[in-house]
Amino acid sequence: QVQLVESGGGLVQAGGSLTLSCAASGTIFGINAVGWYRQAPGKQRELVADITSGGSTKYSASVKGRFVIARDNGKSTTYLQMNSLKPEDTAVYYCKGNLITGLYGSWSSHWGQGTQVTVSS
């Protein structure tokens, strides 16, 4: 069974740092783009950062300069390093990956289960 599993969430004080991980498991032949999203209570899920298979990255304006997305293809894992955290970064963070599950390049999108990040003031 192909799946993405996030880890690394927790409680941190404002100004602190956390690093989230998103690991793919199961029979996959590669990973295309991966995105990190977050959803705060009462708000819509929003894209925070994404990274292509080639390593190109994009960030939302709210996190640019503070968050860094990176990937380790050998470990099928994508990371989100979050620095200078603010209370408004509090949310459930999800990763979404386009996983290559077929020998001829067929792929499908998968979401992780989410990990809670809480930033106290």
Side-chain angles (χ1 to χ4, degrees):
Q1 180 181 358
V2 175
Q3 61 179 350
L4 293 173
V5 178
E6 299 104 336
S7 61
L11 173 65
V12 64
Q13 287 189 332
S17 298
L18 279 176
T19 299
L20 307 182
S21 299
C22 170
S25 64
T27 303
I28 59 173
F29 298 94
I31 302 174
N32 288 332
V34 177
W36 281 98
Y37 295 74
R38 67 185 181 188
Q39 187 166 19
K43 294 189 176 181
Q44 288 190 330
R45 191 172 298 187
E46 63 172 348
L47 177 64
V48 172
D50 62 20
I51 184 167
T52 67
S53 57
S56 297
T57 58
K58 287 190 299 185
Y59 300 90
S60 68
S62 61
V63 307
K64 196 170 186 178
R66 299 189 297 123
F67 290 11
V68 178
I69 188 171
R71 61 192 291 164
D72 183 335
N73 292 328
K75 294 182 179 180
S76 298
T77 301
T78 303
Y79 304 94
L80 185 68
Q81 181 180 343
M82 306 184 293
N83 303 313
S84 302
L85 283 162
K86 305 175 181 180
E88 51 263 43
D89 294 318
T90 295
V92 178
Y93 283 71
Y94 301 87
C95 64
K96 177 186 175 184
N98 295 333
L99 308 182
I100 301 172
T101 53
L103 280 173
Y104 300 101
S106 59
W107 58 273
S108 56
S109 289
H110 296 261
W111 287 92
Q113 82 288 354
T115 185
Q116 176 71 46
V117 171
T118 303
V119 184
S120 63
S121 57

